Amino acid sequence: MTVDTYRPRRSVLYIPASNDKALAKIGSLACDAVIIDLEDAVLPADKAAARGKVAGILAGGEKRCEMVVRINPLASEWGADDLLAVAKAGPDGILLPKIGTPRDILEAGDLLDDNFAPDSVKLWAMVETPKALLNIGAIAELGRDPASRLACFVAGTNDLVKATGILATPDRRYLMPWLMQLVLAARAGGLDVIDGVANDFRDLDAFAGECSEAAAMGFDGKSLIHPAQIEPANRAFSPASEALAQARAIRDAFARPENAGKGVIALDGRMVERLHLAQAEKLLAKAAIIGA
């Protein structure tokens, strides 16, 4: 994402389409994005009814955040109907679960194109299977083609743990190699990437630590399962005051007349290059957008 197209996705909250009480609070939430869930959070007998509620959910009230809907897998009996119904409702994005290859993204995009869904409807992809991780480079490459609609990866850490049989430790040590691979692929494809959920929503200290770690790893935000997690996520994925002060110092140093045309300067005993200036300007622009 360039600064011109930057949308903050620091906090991405799942809300079941069947939970009317939670849905009614969307307008008051401070999260950057909401994912209305038609998949895991909805029982098979309730899926058709949940799908029918999506248009009303998206149309109702003033929305402060990006609105995304997670449909059922296209290969399931509900997937294709979900995709077309949700697209007509005009969300910001549609989250595709259980992807495995680039073809899964392309088929969803073709269905949207064939049914005249506006280009503003983007595709998000859940990376939650071993097959998806093995193909992650090719999938991410679609992000370089706007026609694919692919905009964001979401790590499905619970499903990855289940599918691989690794031990789910508090420090996520056995997940780390795959999470870093996911970040690397997302950056190669120009995509945003969202870390997986933390299941214990009561332990906010542990959650805040996981958010800080994910931010340091390069993730753009965190998947959430409870509104109490919004503030820690927003804080962790916002630029720190120290980083902003350093960015301003770099910008101001290069703006001095004596540094005009210089590719490298000395600042507080450090060598600073023009690439650091570009990073500083990007950070300051993003901070302005989120009000940091």
Side-chain angles (χ1 to χ4, degrees):
M1 288 280 179
T2 65
V3 173
D4 291 340
T5 60
Y6 174 67
R7 295 192 73 162
R9 289 164 177 157
R10 301 164 297 170
S11 49
V12 181
L13 178 66
Y14 286 101
I15 298 181
S18 54
N19 189 333
D20 292 335
K21 183 178 179 180
L23 293 169
K25 297 178 180 179
I26 290 177
S28 65
L29 297 174
C31 54
D32 289 333
V34 162
I35 296 176
I36 307 301
D37 191 14
L38 298 177
E39 192 209 13
D40 288 344
V42 179
L43 294 172
D46 300 328
K47 287 188 182 292
R51 179 197 306 139
K53 293 168 57 178
V54 169
I57 294 169
L58 295 179
E62 182 180 352
K63 302 298 187 297
R64 295 175 55 185
C65 58
E66 191 172 9
M67 299 294 291
V68 179
V69 181
R70 179 165 71 171
I71 65 171
N72 288 280
L74 283 183
S76 72
E77 62 183 284
W78 308 283
D81 290 338
D82 282 354
L83 182 69
L84 297 181
V86 169
K88 289 179 182 178
D92 295 300
I94 297 174
L95 178 55
L96 304 175
K98 304 297 189 294
I99 64 157
T101 70
R103 174 50 53 189
D104 296 325
I105 308 296
L106 294 172
E107 288 179 354
D110 287 346
L111 276 171
L112 294 178
D113 292 343
D114 291 345
N115 287 273
F116 308 106
D119 293 341
S120 59
V121 179
K122 302 302 181 183
L123 291 174
W124 292 27
M126 290 290 301
V127 181
E128 54 188 340
T129 67
K131 188 174 184 179
L133 280 172
L134 288 175
N135 292 313
I136 197 64
I139 296 170
E141 190 63 26
L142 295 176
R144 295 296 178 186
D145 180 5
S148 76
R149 299 175 182 258
L150 185 60
C152 189
F153 282 150
V154 180
T157 45
N158 284 335
D159 282 273
L160 284 171
V161 168
K162 178 183 176 182
T164 59
I166 63 170
L167 182 63
T169 59
D171 62 5
R172 305 199 297 175
R173 71 185 71 175
Y174 302 115
L175 275 169
M176 285 298 179
W178 301 332
L179 294 176
M180 293 304 302
Q181 183 182 3
L182 181 56
V183 171
L184 187 65
R187 296 298 170 243
L191 302 168
D192 276 359
V193 57
I194 309 301
D195 191 18
V197 300
N199 296 316
D200 187 355
F201 59 83
R202 296 165 298 182
D203 191 344
L204 292 180
D205 288 338
F207 175 75
E210 197 166 296
C211 286
S212 295
E213 183 179 65
M217 292 166 64
F219 282 95
D220 294 289
K222 184 80 169 164
S223 308
L224 316 180
I225 57 173
H226 193 278
Q229 297 174 321
I230 294 172
E231 193 278 331
N234 283 348
R235 183 173 65 249
F237 291 97
S238 295
S241 57
E242 296 85 356
L244 290 174
Q246 186 178 65
R248 293 188 190 99
I250 292 172
R251 178 196 60 191
D252 294 345
F254 271 104
R256 295 170 190 153
E258 64 268 26
N259 291 328
K262 290 184 180 180
V264 181
I265 63 173
L267 178 63
D268 298 329
R270 296 186 302 116
M271 182 188 75
V272 180
E273 301 179 64
R274 289 269 167 188
L275 67 89
H276 298 117
L277 174 61
Q279 291 172 329
E281 290 174 336
K282 185 175 182 180
L283 184 71
L284 291 170
K286 286 185 176 183
I289 291 172
I290 64 176

Coordinates of all heavy atoms in Angstrom, one line a residue, residues 137-187:
G137 N 3.7 -17.3 -2.1 CA 4.4 -16.3 -3.0 C 3.6 -16.0 -4.2 O 3.4 -14.9 -4.7
A138 N 3.1 -17.1 -4.8 CA 2.3 -17.0 -6.1 C 0.9 -16.3 -5.8 O 0.5 -15.5 -6.6 CB 2.0 -18.3 -6.7
I139 N 0.4 -16.6 -4.6 CA -0.9 -15.9 -4.3 C -0.7 -14.4 -4.1 O -1.4 -13.6 -4.6 CB -1.5 -16.5 -3.0 CG1 -1.9 -18.0 -3.2 CG2 -2.7 -15.8 -2.5 CD1 -2.2 -18.8 -2.0
A140 N 0.4 -14.1 -3.3 CA 0.7 -12.7 -3.1 C 1.0 -11.9 -4.3 O 0.7 -10.7 -4.4 CB 1.9 -12.6 -2.1
E141 N 1.6 -12.5 -5.3 CA 1.9 -11.8 -6.6 C 0.6 -11.2 -7.2 O 0.7 -10.2 -8.0 CB 2.6 -12.8 -7.5 CG 3.2 -12.1 -8.8 CD 4.3 -11.1 -8.5 OE1 4.9 -11.3 -7.4 OE2 4.5 -10.2 -9.3
L142 N -0.5 -11.8 -6.9 CA -1.8 -11.2 -7.5 C -2.0 -9.8 -7.0 O -2.7 -9.0 -7.6 CB -3.0 -12.1 -7.1 CG -3.0 -13.5 -7.7 CD1 -4.2 -14.3 -7.1 CD2 -3.1 -13.5 -9.2
G143 N -1.4 -9.5 -5.8 CA -1.6 -8.1 -5.3 C -1.1 -7.0 -6.2 O -1.4 -5.9 -6.1
R144 N -0.1 -7.4 -7.1 CA 0.4 -6.4 -8.0 C -0.5 -6.2 -9.2 O -0.2 -5.3 -10.0 CB 1.8 -7.0 -8.6 CG 2.9 -7.1 -7.5 CD 3.2 -5.7 -6.9 NE 4.2 -5.8 -5.8 CZ 4.6 -4.8 -5.1 NH1 4.0 -3.6 -5.3 NH2 5.5 -4.9 -4.2
D145 N -1.6 -6.9 -9.3 CA -2.5 -6.7 -10.4 C -3.9 -6.3 -9.9 O -4.6 -7.0 -9.2 CB -2.7 -8.1 -11.2 CG -3.7 -8.0 -12.3 OD1 -4.2 -6.8 -12.6 OD2 -4.1 -9.0 -12.9
P146 N -4.2 -5.0 -10.0 CA -5.4 -4.5 -9.5 C -6.7 -5.2 -9.9 O -7.7 -5.3 -9.2 CB -5.5 -3.0 -10.0 CG -4.0 -2.7 -10.3 CD -3.4 -3.9 -10.8
A147 N -6.6 -5.9 -11.1 CA -7.8 -6.6 -11.6 C -8.1 -7.8 -10.7 O -9.2 -8.3 -10.7 CB -7.5 -7.1 -13.0
S148 N -7.1 -8.3 -9.9 CA -7.4 -9.4 -9.0 C -8.2 -9.0 -7.8 O -8.8 -9.9 -7.2 CB -6.1 -10.0 -8.6 OG -5.5 -9.2 -7.5
R149 N -8.3 -7.8 -7.5 CA -9.0 -7.2 -6.3 C -8.3 -7.6 -5.0 O -8.8 -7.1 -3.9 CB -10.5 -7.7 -6.3 CG -11.3 -7.3 -7.5 CD -12.7 -7.9 -7.4 NE -13.6 -7.6 -8.5 CZ -14.5 -6.7 -8.5 NH1 -14.8 -6.0 -7.4 NH2 -15.3 -6.6 -9.6
L150 N -7.3 -8.4 -5.0 CA -6.7 -8.8 -3.7 C -6.0 -7.6 -3.0 O -5.2 -6.9 -3.6 CB -5.6 -9.9 -4.0 CG -5.0 -10.6 -2.8 CD1 -6.1 -11.2 -1.9 CD2 -4.0 -11.6 -3.2
A151 N -6.4 -7.5 -1.7 CA -5.9 -6.3 -1.0 C -5.2 -6.7 0.3 O -4.4 -5.9 0.9 CB -7.0 -5.3 -0.7
C152 N -5.5 -7.8 0.9 CA -5.1 -8.1 2.3 C -5.1 -9.6 2.6 O -5.9 -10.3 2.1 CB -6.1 -7.4 3.2 SG -5.6 -7.4 5.0
F153 N -4.1 -10.0 3.4 CA -4.0 -11.3 3.9 C -4.4 -11.3 5.4 O -4.1 -10.3 6.1 CB -2.5 -11.9 3.9 CG -2.1 -12.4 2.5 CD1 -0.8 -12.3 2.2 CD2 -3.0 -13.0 1.6 CE1 -0.3 -12.8 1.0 CE2 -2.6 -13.5 0.4 CZ -1.2 -13.4 0.1
V154 N -5.1 -12.3 5.9 CA -5.4 -12.4 7.3 C -4.9 -13.8 7.7 O -5.2 -14.8 7.1 CB -6.9 -12.3 7.5 CG1 -7.2 -12.5 9.0 CG2 -7.5 -11.0 7.0
A155 N -4.0 -13.8 8.8 CA -3.5 -15.1 9.3 C -4.6 -15.8 10.0 O -5.2 -15.3 11.0 CB -2.3 -14.8 10.2
G156 N -4.8 -17.1 9.7 CA -5.7 -17.9 10.4 C -4.9 -18.9 11.3 O -4.7 -20.0 11.0
T157 N -4.4 -18.3 12.4 CA -3.5 -19.0 13.3 C -4.1 -20.3 14.0 O -3.4 -21.3 14.1 CB -2.9 -18.1 14.3 OG1 -3.9 -17.3 14.9 CG2 -1.8 -17.2 13.7
N158 N -5.3 -20.2 14.4 CA -6.0 -21.3 15.0 C -6.1 -22.5 14.1 O -5.8 -23.7 14.4 CB -7.4 -21.0 15.6 CG -7.3 -20.2 16.8 OD1 -6.3 -20.2 17.6 ND2 -8.3 -19.4 17.1
D159 N -6.4 -22.2 12.8 CA -6.6 -23.3 11.8 C -5.2 -23.9 11.5 O -5.1 -25.1 11.2 CB -7.3 -22.8 10.6 CG -8.8 -22.7 10.8 OD1 -9.5 -23.7 10.6 OD2 -9.3 -21.6 11.2
L160 N -4.2 -23.0 11.4 CA -2.8 -23.5 11.1 C -2.3 -24.4 12.2 O -1.7 -25.5 11.9 CB -1.9 -22.3 10.9 CG -2.0 -21.5 9.6 CD1 -1.1 -20.3 9.7 CD2 -1.6 -22.4 8.4
V161 N -2.6 -24.1 13.4 CA -2.2 -24.9 14.6 C -2.9 -26.3 14.4 O -2.3 -27.4 14.6 CB -2.6 -24.3 15.9 CG1 -2.5 -25.3 17.1 CG2 -1.6 -23.1 16.1
K162 N -4.2 -26.2 14.2 CA -5.0 -27.5 14.0 C -4.6 -28.3 12.9 O -4.4 -29.5 13.0 CB -6.5 -27.1 13.9 CG -7.4 -28.3 13.7 CD -8.8 -27.9 13.4 CE -9.7 -29.1 13.1 NZ -11.1 -28.6 12.8
A163 N -4.3 -27.7 11.7 CA -3.9 -28.4 10.5 C -2.5 -29.1 10.6 O -2.3 -30.1 10.0 CB -4.0 -27.5 9.3
T164 N -1.6 -28.4 11.3 CA -0.3 -28.9 11.3 C 0.1 -29.7 12.6 O 1.0 -30.5 12.6 CB 0.7 -27.7 11.3 OG1 0.5 -26.8 12.4 CG2 0.5 -26.9 10.0
G165 N -0.7 -29.5 13.6 CA -0.4 -30.3 14.9 C 0.7 -29.7 15.7 O 1.1 -30.3 16.7
I166 N 1.1 -28.5 15.4 CA 2.2 -27.9 16.2 C 1.6 -27.5 17.6 O 0.4 -27.4 17.8 CB 2.8 -26.6 15.6 CG1 1.7 -25.5 15.4 CG2 3.4 -26.9 14.2 CD1 2.2 -24.2 15.0
L167 N 2.5 -27.3 18.6 CA 2.1 -26.9 19.9 C 1.8 -25.4 19.9 O 2.7 -24.6 19.6 CB 3.1 -27.3 20.9 CG 2.8 -27.0 22.4 CD1 1.6 -27.8 22.9 CD2 4.1 -27.3 23.2
A168 N 0.7 -25.0 20.4 CA 0.3 -23.6 20.5 C 0.8 -23.1 21.8 O 0.2 -23.1 22.9 CB -1.2 -23.4 20.4
T169 N 2.0 -22.5 21.8 CA 2.7 -22.0 23.0 C 2.3 -20.5 23.2 O 2.0 -19.8 22.2 CB 4.2 -22.2 23.0 OG1 4.7 -21.5 21.8 CG2 4.5 -23.6 22.9
P170 N 2.4 -19.9 24.4 CA 2.1 -18.5 24.5 C 3.0 -17.6 23.7 O 2.6 -16.5 23.3 CB 2.3 -18.3 26.0 CG 2.0 -19.6 26.7 CD 2.6 -20.6 25.7
D171 N 4.2 -18.0 23.5 CA 5.1 -17.2 22.7 C 5.1 -17.4 21.2 O 5.8 -16.8 20.4 CB 6.6 -17.3 23.2 CG 7.1 -18.7 23.0 OD1 6.4 -19.6 22.4 OD2 8.3 -19.0 23.4
R172 N 4.2 -18.4 20.8 CA 4.0 -18.7 19.4 C 5.2 -19.1 18.6 O 5.4 -18.8 17.4 CB 3.2 -17.5 18.7 CG 2.0 -17.1 19.3 CD 1.1 -16.3 18.4 NE 1.7 -15.0 18.0 CZ 1.1 -14.2 17.1 NH1 0.0 -14.5 16.5 NH2 1.7 -13.1 16.7
R173 N 6.2 -19.7 19.3 CA 7.5 -19.9 18.7 C 7.4 -20.8 17.5 O 8.2 -20.7 16.6 CB 8.4 -20.6 19.7 CG 8.1 -22.0 20.1 CD 8.9 -22.5 21.2 NE 8.6 -21.9 22.5 CZ 9.2 -22.3 23.7 NH1 10.1 -23.2 23.7 NH2 8.8 -21.7 24.8
Y174 N 6.4 -21.8 17.5 CA 6.4 -22.7 16.3 C 5.6 -22.1 15.2 O 5.7 -22.6 14.0 CB 5.8 -24.0 16.8 CG 6.5 -24.7 17.9 CD1 5.9 -24.8 19.2 CD2 7.8 -25.0 17.7 CE1 6.7 -25.4 20.2 CE2 8.6 -25.6 18.8 CZ 8.0 -25.8 20.0 OH 8.7 -26.3 21.0
L175 N 4.9 -21.0 15.4 CA 4.2 -20.3 14.3 C 5.0 -19.3 13.7 O 4.8 -18.9 12.5 CB 2.9 -19.6 14.9 CG 1.6 -20.4 15.0 CD1 0.6 -19.7 15.8 CD2 1.1 -20.8 13.6
M176 N 6.0 -18.8 14.4 CA 6.8 -17.6 13.9 C 7.3 -17.8 12.5 O 7.2 -16.8 11.7 CB 7.9 -17.4 14.9 CG 7.5 -16.7 16.2 SD 6.7 -15.1 15.9 CE 6.3 -14.6 17.5
P177 N 8.0 -18.9 12.1 CA 8.5 -19.0 10.8 C 7.4 -18.7 9.7 O 7.7 -18.1 8.7 CB 9.1 -20.4 10.7 CG 9.3 -20.8 12.1 CD 8.3 -20.1 12.9
W178 N 6.2 -19.3 9.9 CA 5.2 -19.1 8.9 C 4.6 -17.7 8.9 O 4.3 -17.2 7.9 CB 4.1 -20.1 9.2 CG 4.5 -21.5 9.2 CD1 5.6 -22.0 8.4 CD2 4.0 -22.6 9.9 NE1 5.8 -23.4 8.7 CE2 4.8 -23.8 9.6 CE3 3.0 -22.8 10.8 CZ2 4.5 -25.0 10.1 CZ3 2.7 -24.1 11.3 CH2 3.5 -25.2 11.0
L179 N 4.5 -17.1 10.1 CA 4.0 -15.7 10.2 C 5.0 -14.8 9.5 O 4.6 -13.8 8.7 CB 3.8 -15.3 11.6 CG 2.7 -16.0 12.4 CD1 2.7 -15.6 13.9 CD2 1.4 -15.8 11.8
M180 N 6.3 -15.0 9.7 CA 7.3 -14.1 9.0 C 7.2 -14.4 7.5 O 7.4 -13.4 6.7 CB 8.7 -14.4 9.5 CG 8.9 -13.9 11.0 SD 8.5 -12.2 11.2 CE 9.6 -11.4 10.1
Q181 N 7.0 -15.6 7.1 CA 6.9 -15.9 5.6 C 5.7 -15.2 5.1 O 5.7 -14.6 3.9 CB 6.7 -17.4 5.4 CG 6.6 -17.9 4.0 CD 6.4 -19.4 3.9 OE1 6.3 -20.1 4.9 NE2 6.4 -19.9 2.7
L182 N 4.6 -15.1 5.8 CA 3.4 -14.4 5.4 C 3.6 -12.9 5.2 O 3.2 -12.3 4.2 CB 2.3 -14.7 6.4 CG 0.9 -14.1 6.1 CD1 0.4 -14.5 4.8 CD2 -0.1 -14.5 7.2
V183 N 4.3 -12.3 6.2 CA 4.6 -10.9 6.1 C 5.5 -10.6 4.9 O 5.2 -9.7 4.1 CB 5.3 -10.4 7.4 CG1 5.8 -9.0 7.2 CG2 4.4 -10.5 8.6
L184 N 6.5 -11.5 4.6 CA 7.4 -11.3 3.5 C 6.6 -11.3 2.2 O 6.8 -10.5 1.3 CB 8.5 -12.3 3.5 CG 9.6 -12.2 2.5 CD1 10.4 -10.9 2.8 CD2 10.5 -13.4 2.6
A185 N 5.7 -12.3 2.1 CA 5.0 -12.5 0.8 C 4.0 -11.3 0.6 O 3.9 -10.8 -0.5 CB 4.2 -13.8 0.9
A186 N 3.4 -10.8 1.7 CA 2.5 -9.7 1.6 C 3.2 -8.4 1.1 O 2.8 -7.7 0.2 CB 1.8 -9.4 2.9
R187 N 4.4 -8.2 1.6 CA 5.2 -7.0 1.2 C 5.6 -7.2 -0.3 O 5.6 -6.2 -1.0 CB 6.4 -6.9 2.1 CG 6.1 -6.6 3.5 CD 5.3 -5.2 3.7 NE 4.7 -5.1 5.0 CZ 3.5 -5.0 5.3 NH1 2.5 -5.1 4.3 NH2 3.1 -4.9 6.5

